[in-house]
Amino acid sequence: EGKMPDFIEASDIRGDLHCHSNWSDGESSIAEMGEACRKRGYSYVAITDHSRSLRVANGLTIVDLKKKKRQIDALNRSMKGCTILFGTEADIDNEGAIDYPDDVLREFDIVVAAIHTGLHQSAEQITRRLVNACKNKYVHIIAHPTGRLWGVRDAYPMDIGEVCRAAADTGTALEINSFPDRLDVNDEICRFAKKSGVRFAIDSDSHHIGHLDALRFGISVARRGWLTKHDVLNTRTLLNLRKELKKK
């Protein structure tokens, strides 16, 4: 009937908004990640190393952040064609508060928030944590929102409808995490969330330059969920991405 949308294509992606470096638990340097993204034709890449409470992943202290920011600024002065965004994957605590205080969060170009602990709490508590994280005006994206790890654990219990309403109401994007061990947001959640007015980010969650190629898996999920490029943050130009992030 000609009613199907123009599904998102790999060529629509202009950058990756969730990547790690060897500042936390990644294997590649920031420079290596930036150069690898430049070679892929990306306009930007967000280096979102773990926050301070996730010590098992070498989470960054506030002192570390200042040093990392100086390195990113220096790289952006020398690297042409791909801008490195100063980001974090900040932990969501048991009440939904974010691991860094607001005066630190506002210094980031982009804040990705995620649950890594308390995975066996009740659906009510998990939902409250995610909703409260969405309400933080400095949080732009909720990473791997359902917490599923293939072959390791199922998704944690939560009210996906309530989370989607909070994300839509606050302008917080939900992540389609492309890392093969995750892919925790499936096509049905994509379709439901889109109907609820939610925006998305399709990210690789790379911990090495070789992981960047995983983005194609997230794009496949998005296509099955009937997403177009207009539904996805990282199809924007750098200028328009910054405008979208500042709206929060």
Side-chain angles (χ1 to χ4, degrees), residues 22-64:
N22 56 8
W23 276 81
S24 63
D25 61 341
E27 298 177 40
S28 303
S29 69
I30 296 176
E32 288 170 336
M33 294 298 293
E35 179 61 16
C37 287
R38 187 191 66 79
K39 288 181 177 178
R40 282 168 170 76
Y42 291 168
S43 299
Y44 48 83
V45 57
I47 304 298
T48 53
D49 288 304
H50 287 288
S51 62
R52 57 187 177 179
S53 71
L54 204 64
R55 295 178 182 175
V56 68
N58 299 316
L60 274 64
T61 66
I62 293 175
V63 172
D64 293 331

Side-chain angles (χ1 to χ4, degrees), residues 14-19 30-31 33-48 69 71-87 109-110 234 236-242 245:
R14 294 177 181 263
D16 199 326
L17 299 178
H18 182 178
C19 292
I30 296 176
M33 294 298 293
E35 179 61 16
C37 287
R38 187 191 66 79
K39 288 181 177 178
R40 282 168 170 76
Y42 291 168
S43 299
Y44 48 83
V45 57
I47 304 298
T48 53
K69 179 65 163 59
Q71 185 179 116
I72 288 175
D73 288 345
L75 286 168
N76 279 331
R77 286 192 292 269
S78 62
M79 183 180 296
K80 305 300 180 184
C82 183
T83 298
I84 299 170
L85 300 176
F86 177 48
D109 295 315
I110 189 164
N234 45 320
R236 275 58 162 176
T237 64
L238 178 59
L239 178 62
N240 287 336
L241 174 68
R242 289 190 187 277
L245 298 178

Side-chain angles (χ1 to χ4, degrees), residues 222-240:
R223 288 170 61 83
R224 289 198 302 273
W226 281 44
L227 300 192
T228 72
K229 66 180 182 180
H230 304 293
D231 300 309
V232 179
L233 275 179
N234 45 320
T235 63
R236 275 58 162 176
T237 64
L238 178 59
L239 178 62
N240 287 336

Side-chain angles (χ1 to χ4, degrees), residues 14-217:
R14 294 177 181 263
D16 199 326
L17 299 178
H18 182 178
C19 292
H20 298 269
S21 74
N22 56 8
W23 276 81
S24 63
D25 61 341
E27 298 177 40
S28 303
S29 69
I30 296 176
E32 288 170 336
M33 294 298 293
E35 179 61 16
C37 287
R38 187 191 66 79
K39 288 181 177 178
R40 282 168 170 76
Y42 291 168
S43 299
Y44 48 83
V45 57
I47 304 298
T48 53
D49 288 304
H50 287 288
S51 62
R52 57 187 177 179
S53 71
L54 204 64
R55 295 178 182 175
V56 68
N58 299 316
L60 274 64
T61 66
I62 293 175
V63 172
D64 293 331
L65 290 176
K66 292 177 181 178
K67 295 176 182 177
K68 178 185 169 185
K69 179 65 163 59
R70 287 196 293 270
Q71 185 179 116
I72 288 175
D73 288 345
L75 286 168
N76 279 331
R77 286 192 292 269
S78 62
M79 183 180 296
K80 305 300 180 184
C82 183
T83 298
I84 299 170
L85 300 176
F86 177 48
T88 181
E89 182 181 5
D91 256 39
I92 301 170
D93 76 7
N94 284 337
E95 297 303 320
I98 307 303
D99 197 16
Y100 294 124
D102 283 357
D103 63 337
V104 173
L105 293 176
R106 66 169 167 250
E107 297 300 318
F108 291 105
D109 295 315
I110 189 164
V111 175
V112 177
I115 288 177
H116 291 103
T117 58
L119 304 179
H120 301 292
Q121 294 169 343
S122 68
E124 182 181 9
Q125 187 166 0
I126 294 283
T127 301
R128 183 171 64 250
R129 291 168 71 186
L130 291 169
V131 167
N132 286 344
C134 287
K135 290 178 178 178
N136 185 298
K137 63 183 178 180
Y138 297 109
V139 170
H140 302 108
I141 299 170
I142 302 295
H144 39 78
T146 79
R148 181 184 65 186
L149 275 176
W150 284 103
V152 176
R153 64 171 182 258
D154 293 333
Y156 36 64
M158 65 168 170
D159 184 334
I160 187 64
E162 190 171 344
V163 173
C164 285
R165 283 192 293 275
D169 289 346
T170 61
T172 308
L174 297 185
E175 180 185 70
I176 300 173
N177 190 296
S178 305
F179 202 80
D181 292 358
R182 290 197 181 272
L183 290 170
D184 64 303
V185 169
N186 62 20
D187 48 0
E188 292 180 352
I189 293 176
C190 281
R191 190 77 186 279
F192 175 81
K194 175 175 177 171
K195 289 179 178 179
S196 301
V198 173
R199 299 180 304 171
F200 301 84
I202 304 176
D203 301 322
S204 68
D205 198 354
S206 292
H207 289 66
H208 182 273
I209 57 174
H211 296 160
L212 291 165
D213 291 332
L215 207 72
R216 67 185 187 273
F217 301 130

